């Protein structure tokens, strides 16, 4: 039977390899992202089938060889980071996941926040991506999964139904209980649409703030930049590259992460467009 090898490297801030683990898990695993806590690495094994033969024969692209199997559950693989402990598996039908927002431990429960799609659009040859009917596709939505490490049970709860992707948070809170999340989001609260807004979620109070670049602006992944010596988790800035479809140019928009309703506090205009991308990062210098 097909199996997948997951190799985990833990590297110190100085670049030294601290630990390497190699695990084999059953089946083909399409893994785009994973979540981490002080004691665990968490992988979601999406329910897909992969037949590489047409790709190997040059008859189709690799993406066209992946078939989403909505009737099958997703396997959640929990790998202990330490030397001891067994891999735990959880199963739940939850659609497809590319990105995780965060994960944290509370007593014997692991919480994982992830963007889920009910279905994955199939990549078809000769289709014009410019003709994509966004409204016919399922939106990404934010869910919280709770994994009972002693009970073996998994439960989930929808946190945000607005179409959203690219979750970002304060880097010091990765793997820990956290309060604020920033996401690229659709301008409208319902349905699937391109990302034109930045959404801030307060996970404690359930309050939301939305800054929208619609109708002409299209946002990229938000990047959270903490203020130096900040006391509160949301003290800092949110950066995003916005494509302005009116003048075919891009601009970097800076928002006050404490209050998105202030609007852009700065815009860095470019004389050209930046091809629409996926991920970015911020490094202080
Ligand atoms: Fe990604």
């Amino acid at each position: 039977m097909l199996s997948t090898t997951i190799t985990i490297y833990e590297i110190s801030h100085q670049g030294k390899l601290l630990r390497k683990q190699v695990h084999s898990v059953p089946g083909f695993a399409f893994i785009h992202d994973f979540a981490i806590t002080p004691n665990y690495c968490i992988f979601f094994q999406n329910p897909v089938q992969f037949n590489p033969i047409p790709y190997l024969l040059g008859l189709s692209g690799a993406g066209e060889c992946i078939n989403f199997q909505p009737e099958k559950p997703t396997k959640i693989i929990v790998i202990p980071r330490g030397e001891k402990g067994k891999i735990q598996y959880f199963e739940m039908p939850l659609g497809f996941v590319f990105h995780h927002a965060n994960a944290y431990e509370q007593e014997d429960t692991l919480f994982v926040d992830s963007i889920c799609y009910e279905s994955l659009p199939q990549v078809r040859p000769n289709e014009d991506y410019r003709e994509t009917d966004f409204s016919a596709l399922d939106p990404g939505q934010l869910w919280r999964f709770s994994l009972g490490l002693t009970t073996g049970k998994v439960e989930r709860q929808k946190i945000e139904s607005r179409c959203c992707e690219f979750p970002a948070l304060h880097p010091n809170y990765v793997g820990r209980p956290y309060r604020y999340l920033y996401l690229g989001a659709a301008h409208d609260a319902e349905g699937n649409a391109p990302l034109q807004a930045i959404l801030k979620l307060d996970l404690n109070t359930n309050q939301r703030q939305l800054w929208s670049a619609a109708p002409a602006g299209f946002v990229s992944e938000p990047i959270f930049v903490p203020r130096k010596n900040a006391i509160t988790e949301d003290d800092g800035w949110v950066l995003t590259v916005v494509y302005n479809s009116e003048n075919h140019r891009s601009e970097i928009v800076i928002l006050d992460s404490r209050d998105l309703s202030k609007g852009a506090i700065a815009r860095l205009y470019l004389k050209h467009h930046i091809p629409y991308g996926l991920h970015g990062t911020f490094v202080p210098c």
Side-chain angles (χ1 to χ4, degrees):
M1 190 193 172
L2 197 65
S3 66
T4 300
T5 302
I6 297 177
T7 306
I8 302 167
Y9 299 89
E10 293 199 35
I11 296 164
S12 72
H13 284 289
Q14 291 74 35
K16 191 173 164 240
L17 181 64
L18 300 175
R19 192 184 292 145
K20 180 187 170 187
Q21 294 186 58
V22 182
H23 299 280
S24 181
V25 298
F28 169 72
F30 182 133
I31 296 171
H32 182 83
D33 191 11
F34 73 105
I36 197 163
T37 68
N39 293 301
Y40 301 97
C41 293
I42 305 129
F43 297 84
F44 280 36
Q45 189 175 5
N46 287 302
V48 294
Q49 207 178 33
F50 182 59
N51 173 14
I53 292 167
Y55 173 65
L56 293 173
L57 295 175
L59 300 172
S60 62
E64 294 167 48
C65 299
I66 293 172
N67 280 308
F68 180 61
Q69 298 183 293
E71 71 287 354
K72 294 211 169 157
T74 293
K75 260 192 210 157
I76 302 173
I77 305 162
V78 177
I79 301 177
R81 287 174 64 181
E83 304 302 326
K84 291 176 190 163
K86 270 187 163 179
I87 296 182
Q88 275 188 268
Y89 293 93
F90 299 80
E91 281 196 6
M92 174 176 263
L94 57 86
F96 196 92
V97 172
F98 284 109
H99 298 127
H100 302 291
N102 199 16
Y104 58 92
E105 301 168 17
Q106 254 171 9
E107 295 169 358
D108 60 354
T109 303
L110 263 182
F111 293 93
V112 188
D113 296 346
S114 311
I115 308 286
C116 302
Y117 296 82
E118 264 186 43
S119 66
L120 178 72
Q122 208 62 48
V123 180
R124 307 254 179 240
N126 307 321
E127 269 185 18
D128 188 343
Y129 65 91
R130 291 167 297 186
E131 303 294 322
T132 300
D133 178 6
F134 279 88
S135 63
L137 305 176
D138 286 319
Q141 295 173 316
L142 181 68
W143 289 79
R144 173 161 291 174
F145 297 91
S146 51
L147 314 177
L149 294 171
T150 48
T151 63
K153 284 190 179 158
V154 53
E155 289 174 6
R156 70 170 180 170
Q157 178 199 353
K158 195 187 281 181
I159 299 178
E160 179 57 60
S161 58
R162 181 189 292 264
C163 169
C164 57
E165 248 302 355
F166 301 129
L169 71 152
H170 191 307
N172 291 357
Y173 291 80
V174 171
R176 302 188 171 126
Y178 71 117
R179 180 168 176 179
Y180 299 107
L181 195 59
Y182 310 90
L183 306 112
H187 175 76
D188 292 324
E190 310 238 329
N192 184 56
L195 307 179
Q196 293 194 276
I198 300 295
L199 174 68
K200 177 188 178 185
L201 285 182
D202 181 334
L203 298 164
N204 285 9
T205 64
N206 232 7
Q207 282 183 325
R208 282 142 172 77
Q209 292 175 3
L210 189 84
W211 173 82
S212 177
F218 294 82
V219 305
S220 61
E221 176 187 53
I223 306 290
F224 176 77
V225 181
R227 189 189 301 273
K228 209 174 176 187
N229 304 320
I231 294 169
T232 61
E233 185 189 320
D234 64 343
D235 191 359
W237 301 271
V238 172
L239 277 58
T240 187
V241 176
V242 177
Y243 171 67
N244 185 337
S245 59
E246 264 174 356
N247 59 12
H248 190 45
R249 290 181 178 185
S250 298
E251 56 201 59
I252 295 162
V253 169
I254 303 175
L255 305 167
D256 182 337
S257 50
R258 288 168 302 182
D259 185 4
L260 300 195
S261 68
K262 276 186 187 173
I265 56 170
R267 287 176 189 263
L268 311 177
Y269 295 101
L270 299 170
K271 292 178 181 167
H272 54 85
H273 71 287
I274 295 179
Y276 207 65
L278 290 172
H279 294 297
T281 192
F282 173 82
V283 180
C285 59

